[in-house]
Amino acid sequence: MTSREAYNWLISHHTETTYLASTEALLAWDQRTQIPRAGHAHRAKQLAALAKLLHQRATNPRIGECLAQVEGTPLDTDPYSVEVANSREWRRAYERATRIPERLAVGLAEAAAEGEPAWAEARPRGDWKAFKPYLARLLSLRKEYAQMQEFEGEAYDALLEDYEPQQTTALLEPIFSELRAALVDLLRRIKEAPGKPRVELLRGDFPKVRQEAMIREVIARLGYDFEGGRLDSTAHPFEISIGPGDVRITTRYDESFFNPAFFGTIHESGHAMYEQGLPAKYWGTPAGESASLGIHESQSRMWENMVARSLGFWQYFYPRAYEFFPAFADSDPSAFVFAVNAVKPSLIRVEADEVTYNLHIMVRFELELALFRGELSLDDLPAAWDEKYRDYLGVSADGVANGVMQDIHWAGGAFGYFPTYSLGNLYAAQLYKAAELELGALEPQFASGDFAPLLGWLRRNIHAQGRRYQPGELVRVVTGEELNPAYLIGYLRRKYSQLYSL
Amino acid sequence: MTSREAYNWLISHHTETTYLASTEALLAWDQRTQIPRAGHAHRAKQLAALAKLLHQRATNPRIGECLAQVEGTPLDTDPYSVEVANSREWRRAYERATRIPERLAVGLAEAAAEGEPAWAEARPRGDWKAFKPYLARLLSLRKEYAQMQEFEGEAYDALLEDYEPQQTTALLEPIFSELRAALVDLLRRIKEAPGKPRVELLRGDFPKVRQEAMIREVIARLGYDFEGGRLDSTAHPFEISIGPGDVRITTRYDESFFNPAFFGTIHESGHAMYEQGLPAKYWGTPAGESASLGIHESQSRMWENMVARSLGFWQYFYPRAYEFFPAFADSDPSAFVFAVNAVKPSLIRVEADEVTYNLHIMVRFELELALFRGELSLDDLPAAWDEKYRDYLGVSADGVANGVMQDIHWAGGAFGYFPTYSLGNLYAAQLYKAAELELGALEPQFASGDFAPLLGWLRRNIHAQGRRYQPGELVRVVTGEELNPAYLIGYLRRKYSQLYSL
């Protein structure tokens, strides 16, 4: 077997696996948007059967043999060539999969497929007791999973590695700590500022059908391709890729509040534009995949906040907005932009402003770490949650529904996922700065309705790269330096100093 | 390995296969109801990857070894015990699968996944030329498939066997011929009858939202369980089972014509109630599956025609109908029932009345047979189609969209499927008669809103049996005699003699 033959076998094996895995994406989309109530038990079984199959394929010993051949006589010397990047990622996935027995892989899929609907049912009632057994099972399986992976010191790092390769607690803690200090200081100054945004502008009568019409127009203008996607409504918005030409998003409408659907959909369309910009010719291999969850989040947050909450954006879209919602005509773009950027500590992460958002993540990161260090039990989790919210955000939950049960992530066993949200914000600010160095100031372009230059830059520098680089490397290659929290801190200070006249 | 061990392995292998196969059902449902335009190419690849996997699982040599053990020392002597029936069906499926190379199994899945959207796009334009290459590929693959199966004389029988075990051209031809003669005679007498139904009652203004509300109420009353299903709208209505607790139906609304959505949905709910009544404890094995397509169709046609086009049904539902559609208040149940049973030869099978419907099937059956006997080429197919429509129904198509391209079946490679529709009508009449022998006259029960006795009878005698009996045997066991066209002929003669005062 030559290295070329081995590589070709790996391509074909993984491409076929990816086709099968992509049916899992459809099962998940349907589970959250379409499935009838009585269909959940069967869906959990389908997902478990698929997880078993995918685990078998991921641990096929022939992968190890072919990888050894390709690694022994590499096809390319460039460490970031498609061939070398694919081999690196296949090796990583193979090692991680072979450390996990089938029983555990299937158990995790089953527990997640049962946990999510259990959470969805228990949350509205605030029924922590009903949900806790599911969470306990997931936590115990994830702990077992983490112990089977390789890590130094922190078991939690084994989970981080799945979502954000090469990130560790040791790397994140100083960055998060610098960010937190800056945010707490900025928040204090904002609270003391005399000027207040007219947030009542965003409350009123926003019929779903008009919201949807406006949103469809806006995200199509930004660059989301509806020919290769669709927009539905769900309780919990998400983006999901079934495959090339089929990248779906969902949103949630609040007919008395403008923000959730509008900014939520732009957020999801940011994820979707990334997926729609991945190199289709490498589909089925790592080179055709997104770089990481953090890089993914950098795309959604950039479009949601740095673009759609900018003055330039609203200089262009405001006249259109008051055609859809005539009440807006009483205001102007500047007052509107101040309103959509209002800072107010709140209980709910997905409704948080840019200044407080990362504090919500710190809460989760620290609690997850405590759970995996064995310093916190599930019984004490709700109280620990509430305490941190009081400490960092100065708010108190009125129950678990808006407290510890607000997110779906843990219900699917996704511990270690939350830090990627803050990483996304950090990456976004650093990438945006690099884009402006090349393209010039972006807001004047937005003000003329030109979003294509930014999208084009992201397409070339991020989307088209697939997973050739690991996330940290990608940031370094594209921006010329390591991840640096100064970009996000600087962006937030400038923006909010201006808005609040600090 | 004991027979019990072998049997248990077969159960577990096939159950897992069925979970994986049931993801195929979701892919198909989504392909017809939700998928974005650009997603079709990927969907075809997903379906092909799944077909390859399922073919590999279906031809696993261990199936043959375990079957040999179980057949050598059977677990039960009752030929219709669950164990014996499962072994019989596993053997049948294994033999049929192992005769087909993987290349052909995958090729058929791919050609079908490409053929259906190609048909959906070409049909509205009446573009036979654009569709023909897809059809040619499917026909050629199906001919190759048929040649690889065992059959005596007719290659077409190899296809029939997939849809309706133990049915052959030789068995069908005399039955169909007797039926055709009777229908042609009945149609002639109806055409000469002086009384005419007031079909204009069914034309007017039927807003989709009201149609849907009425339909949901009616099918829930008949016994369709919405907790374990859902109703969507599509260009081409269908029923599909994702699994226990998830049996979906679709319909099509015509806002100026009452019939299509109303009777179409009841038809699909008939299929769905069968699926919802299958024994869940045997799910994943043949004992938990429907007996055949013909038996399936007997359920849909019985509810659509024998129930929902009966006077008893409308004595109960008519007062409710004119709450939804006040224009109906100008009529009465008898006139309405005459209208919904109006006989009129037409071009479109799915819109055909009970008297002409089977003539549409004869056209397709005879053309398929000619294609597989090599007596007809695809180039000559449209003209041959039109000629038979003139001969049997006295109508001429205005183009291929309402002619040879009207059905989706061939676009998915489903040659040999159409005869199961006529078999369904034949079975339905014979089963209905048997039900009345036990339950007494059914129409007075319908007139009181009592549909549960009929559904209960079908649950016990048909649904709960799964695939323990082959379709011909099931009819014999339940009705006490072989399939006999006299039941359908008698039912139609009685019903239409009364309606048209013949």
Side-chain angles (χ1 to χ4, degrees):
Chain A
M1 175 170 65
T2 66
S3 284
R4 177 54 65 188
E5 285 162 355
Y7 185 77
N8 288 345
W9 184 87
L10 287 163
I11 290 271
S12 117
H13 178 76
H14 285 99
T15 302
E16 200 171 311
T17 300
T18 314
Y19 277 120
L20 295 167
S22 76
T23 67
E24 200 176 44
L26 185 69
L27 292 168
W29 176 82
D30 182 85
Q31 190 180 29
R32 296 181 189 184
T33 60
Q34 313 285 343
I35 201 170
R37 245 171 73 88
H40 283 290
H42 179 71
R43 183 57 44 89
K45 294 284 198 176
Q46 286 180 304
L47 287 165
L50 208 48
K52 179 174 166 189
L53 170 76
L54 291 172
H55 188 259
Q56 283 168 351
R57 292 188 63 95
T59 54
N60 182 334
R62 191 155 165 80
I63 297 176
E65 293 158 28
C66 289
L67 278 175
Q69 170 64 39
V70 171
E71 288 158 349
T73 319
L75 292 165
D76 202 308
T77 52
D78 172 1
Y80 301 118
S81 67
V82 165
E83 285 82 356
V84 175
N86 275 340
S87 303
R88 176 194 76 221
E89 293 296 321
W90 286 330
R91 168 62 72 191
R92 190 170 159 271
Y94 181 66
E95 295 300 323
R96 293 183 75 76
T98 48
R99 289 188 200 114
I100 302 302
E102 184 178 293
R103 168 195 59 74
L104 182 55
V106 175
L108 273 163
E110 228 163 357
E114 286 163 13
E116 291 194 12
W119 166 81
E121 219 167 303
R123 189 197 166 198
R125 311 194 295 272
D127 194 345
W128 168 254
K129 224 176 117 186
F131 176 53
K132 209 181 69 176
Y134 293 92
L135 192 57
R137 183 167 166 227
L138 283 157
L139 182 61
S140 139
L141 291 170
R142 271 290 165 214
K143 281 186 172 173
E144 199 183 341
Y145 173 93
Q147 287 303 331
M148 287 170 175
Q149 300 294 351
E150 282 179 353
F151 57 85
E152 288 170 19
E154 296 283 357
Y156 184 66
D157 286 355
L159 305 179
L160 274 181
E161 176 72 12
D162 271 338
Y163 300 120
E164 203 67 15
Q166 302 187 313
Q167 285 294 1
T168 61
T169 307
L171 285 165
L172 287 179
E173 276 186 324
I175 292 176
F176 282 8
S177 152
E178 184 180 343
L179 180 59
R180 186 169 63 201
L183 293 177
V184 166
D185 174 66
L186 182 58
L187 182 58
R188 184 189 49 73
R189 288 162 58 212
I190 289 172
K191 279 181 176 166
E192 292 165 359
K196 298 289 171 211
R198 288 175 50 202
V199 290
E200 67 280 8
L201 275 174
L202 305 164
R203 302 282 177 171
D205 184 24
F206 301 98
K208 174 180 179 293
V209 56
R210 292 222 191 140
Q211 288 194 59
E212 187 177 336
M214 179 175 176
I215 283 167
R216 285 182 179 269
E217 189 178 310
V218 168
I219 63 175
R221 177 88 206 174
L222 299 182
Y224 175 71
D225 176 10
F226 274 100
E227 284 283 292
R230 53 178 289 139
L231 170 65
D232 295 274
S233 70
T234 43
H236 306 280
F238 63 95
E239 176 276 325
I240 201 161
S241 299
I242 315 297
D246 195 351
V247 176
R248 307 181 184 189
I249 56 180
T250 71
T251 195
R252 172 181 47 181
Y253 298 95
D254 179 339
E255 296 202 308
S256 63
F257 188 20
F258 178 76
N259 287 12
F262 189 81
F263 295 103
T265 314
I266 292 178
H267 178 99
E268 302 307 335
S269 76
H271 283 303
M273 289 188 279
Y274 184 8
E275 292 285 320
Q276 291 183 328
L278 291 171
K281 64 180 163 176
Y282 300 131
W283 194 89
T285 72
E289 285 173 40
S290 61
S292 73
L293 286 179
I295 298 293
H296 230 301
E297 192 72 5
S298 76
Q299 304 302 293
S300 56
R301 298 290 286 179
M302 189 187 293
W303 289 102
E304 175 193 359
N305 292 323
M306 308 187 74
V307 178
R309 282 188 162 97
S310 74
L311 182 59
F313 178 94
W314 287 106
Q315 281 167 337
Y316 180 71
F317 276 116
Y318 205 68
R320 196 75 188 106
Y322 61 71
E323 287 175 31
F324 284 103
F325 305 109
F328 286 173
D330 302 339
S331 181
D332 63 70
S334 302
F336 191 79
V337 167
F338 194 10
V340 300
N341 283 291
V343 174
K344 187 166 189 281
S346 73
L347 288 166
I348 306 291
R349 173 183 60 84
V350 296
E351 294 169 6
D353 56 81
E354 283 180 279
V355 175
T356 57
Y357 185 90
N358 293 298
L359 298 173
H360 291 261
I361 300 304
M362 308 294 145
V363 169
R364 289 155 177 79
F365 170 64
E366 292 166 17
L367 292 174
E368 286 185 335
L369 207 48
L371 286 170
F372 278 83
R373 283 174 176 169
E375 298 168 359
L376 178 67
S377 77
L378 278 191
D379 288 327
D380 298 330
L381 179 63
W385 177 285
D386 294 342
E387 195 187 323
K388 282 200 189 283
Y389 263 80
R390 279 194 298 275
D391 284 359
Y392 297 171
L393 288 140
V395 293
S396 297
D398 49 358
V400 289
N402 291 332
V404 70
M405 279 180 74
Q406 72 183 260
D407 299 301
I408 195 174
H409 303 63
W410 293 344
F415 300 96
Y417 188 118
F418 284 117
T420 68
Y421 289 140
S422 284
L423 283 167
N425 291 322
L426 292 158
Y427 295 150
Q430 190 162 339
L431 293 172
Y432 190 88
K433 186 75 179 185
E436 285 203 313
L437 277 177
E438 187 180 323
L439 304 170
L442 286 165
E443 280 207 49
Q445 300 175 30
F446 303 161
S448 315
D450 290 339
F451 301 97
L454 175 59
L455 181 59
W457 188 90
L458 293 169
R459 286 266 191 264
R460 287 191 302 280
N461 288 283
I462 306 293
H463 307 182
Q465 303 304 323
R467 191 168 283 196
R468 280 175 58 206
Y469 302 95
Q470 309 213 50
E473 290 163 354
L474 180 62
V475 169
R476 193 171 58 239
V477 166
V478 175
T479 69
E481 70 177 296
E482 299 292 332
L483 178 62
N484 182 346
Y487 289 102
L488 178 60
I489 294 170
Y491 156 77
L492 293 173
R493 279 193 185 138
R494 271 192 311 280
K495 178 170 176 174
Y496 287 90
S497 293
Q498 205 175 345
L499 286 166
Y500 279 87
S501 317
L502 301 181
Chain B
M1 176 169 65
T2 67
S3 284
R4 179 53 67 188
E5 285 163 355
Y7 185 79
N8 286 346
W9 184 87
L10 287 163
I11 290 270
S12 117
H13 179 77
H14 285 99
T15 301
E16 200 170 310
T17 299
T18 314
Y19 278 120
L20 295 167
S22 76
T23 67
E24 200 176 45
L26 185 69
L27 292 168
W29 176 81
D30 182 86
Q31 189 179 31
R32 296 182 189 183
T33 59
Q34 313 285 342
I35 201 170
R37 244 171 75 87
H40 283 289
H42 179 72
R43 184 57 42 88
K45 294 284 198 175
Q46 286 180 304
L47 287 164
L50 208 48
K52 179 174 165 188
L53 171 76
L54 292 172
H55 188 260
Q56 283 167 352
R57 292 189 63 95
T59 54
N60 182 335
R62 191 155 165 80
I63 297 176
E65 293 157 29
C66 289
L67 278 175
Q69 170 64 38
V70 171
E71 288 159 349
T73 318
L75 291 165
D76 203 309
T77 51
D78 172 359
Y80 301 117
S81 68
V82 165
E83 285 82 358
V84 176
N86 275 340
S87 304
R88 176 195 75 222
E89 293 296 321
W90 285 329
R91 167 62 72 192
R92 189 171 159 269
Y94 181 65
E95 294 301 322
R96 294 184 73 77
T98 48
R99 290 188 200 116
I100 302 302
E102 184 178 293
R103 167 195 60 74
L104 182 56
V106 175
L108 273 163
E110 229 163 357
E114 286 163 15
E116 290 195 13
W119 166 81
E121 219 168 304
R123 189 197 166 200
R125 311 193 295 274
D127 194 345
W128 168 254
K129 224 176 117 185
F131 177 53
K132 210 182 69 176
Y134 292 92
L135 193 57
R137 182 168 167 226
L138 282 157
L139 182 60
S140 138
L141 291 170
R142 270 291 165 214
K143 281 186 171 174
E144 198 182 340
Y145 173 93
Q147 287 303 330
M148 287 169 174
Q149 300 293 352
E150 281 179 353
F151 57 86
E152 287 170 22
E154 296 283 358
Y156 184 67
D157 286 356
L159 305 179
L160 274 180
E161 176 73 13
D162 271 338
Y163 301 120
E164 203 65 16
Q166 300 187 313
Q167 285 295 1
T168 60
T169 307
L171 285 166
L172 287 179
E173 275 185 327
I175 293 177
F176 282 8
S177 153
E178 183 179 345
L179 180 59
R180 187 169 64 201
L183 293 177
V184 166
D185 174 65
L186 182 57
L187 182 58
R188 185 188 49 73
R189 287 163 58 213
I190 289 173
K191 279 182 178 167
E192 292 165 359
K196 299 289 171 211
R198 288 175 51 202
V199 289
E200 67 280 6
L201 275 175
L202 305 163
R203 303 280 176 172
D205 183 26
F206 301 99
K208 173 179 180 294
V209 57
R210 290 219 197 143
Q211 289 194 59
E212 188 178 334
M214 179 175 176
I215 283 168
R216 284 180 180 270
E217 189 178 310
V218 169
I219 64 176
R221 178 86 207 175
L222 299 182
Y224 176 71
D225 176 12
F226 274 100
E227 284 282 294
R230 51 179 290 140
L231 170 64
D232 294 274
S233 71
T234 44
H236 306 280
F238 62 95
E239 175 276 326
I240 201 162
S241 299
I242 316 295
D246 195 351
V247 177
R248 306 181 184 189
I249 57 179
T250 71
T251 195
R252 171 181 50 181
Y253 297 94
D254 179 339
E255 296 201 307
S256 64
F257 188 21
F258 177 77
N259 288 11
F262 189 81
F263 294 103
T265 314
I266 292 177
H267 178 99
E268 302 307 335
S269 76
H271 284 303
M273 287 188 282
Y274 185 8
E275 292 285 321
Q276 291 183 329
L278 291 171
K281 65 180 163 178
Y282 300 131
W283 193 88
T285 71
E289 286 173 39
S290 61
S292 73
L293 286 179
I295 298 294
H296 230 301
E297 192 72 6
S298 76
Q299 304 302 292
S300 56
R301 298 289 286 180
M302 189 187 294
W303 289 102
E304 175 193 359
N305 291 324
M306 308 187 75
V307 178
R309 282 188 163 96
S310 74
L311 183 59
F313 178 93
W314 287 107
Q315 282 167 336
Y316 180 71
F317 277 116
Y318 205 69
R320 197 75 187 105
Y322 62 71
E323 288 175 29
F324 285 102
F325 305 109
F328 286 173
D330 302 339
S331 181
D332 64 70
S334 302
F336 191 80
V337 167
F338 194 9
V340 300
N341 284 292
V343 174
K344 188 167 189 282
S346 73
L347 288 166
I348 306 291
R349 174 182 61 85
V350 295
E351 294 170 5
D353 56 81
E354 283 181 279
V355 175
T356 57
Y357 185 90
N358 293 298
L359 298 174
H360 291 261
I361 301 303
M362 307 294 146
V363 170
R364 289 156 177 77
F365 170 64
E366 292 166 17
L367 292 174
E368 286 184 335
L369 206 48
L371 285 171
F372 277 82
R373 283 174 176 169
E375 296 167 0
L376 178 67
S377 76
L378 277 192
D379 288 327
D380 298 330
L381 179 62
W385 177 285
D386 293 342
E387 195 188 323
K388 282 201 188 285
Y389 264 79
R390 279 193 300 274
D391 284 0
Y392 298 171
L393 288 141
V395 293
S396 296
D398 49 358
V400 289
N402 291 332
V404 69
M405 279 179 74
Q406 73 183 257
D407 299 302
I408 196 174
H409 303 64
W410 292 343
F415 301 95
Y417 189 116
F418 285 116
T420 67
Y421 289 140
S422 284
L423 283 167
N425 291 321
L426 292 157
Y427 294 150
Q430 190 161 339
L431 292 172
Y432 190 88
K433 186 75 179 183
E436 285 203 313
L437 277 177
E438 188 178 323
L439 304 170
L442 287 165
E443 281 206 50
Q445 300 176 30
F446 302 160
S448 316
D450 290 340
F451 302 97
L454 175 59
L455 181 58
W457 188 90
L458 293 170
R459 287 265 189 266
R460 288 189 302 280
N461 288 284
I462 307 293
H463 307 181
Q465 302 305 324
R467 190 167 284 194
R468 279 175 59 208
Y469 302 94
Q470 309 213 50
E473 291 163 354
L474 180 62
V475 169
R476 193 172 56 241
V477 166
V478 175
T479 70
E481 70 178 296
E482 299 291 334
L483 178 62
N484 182 348
Y487 290 102
L488 178 59
I489 294 169
Y491 156 76
L492 292 173
R493 279 193 184 136
R494 272 192 310 281
K495 176 170 177 174
Y496 288 90
S497 294
Q498 204 173 347
L499 286 167
Y500 280 88
S501 316
L502 301 181

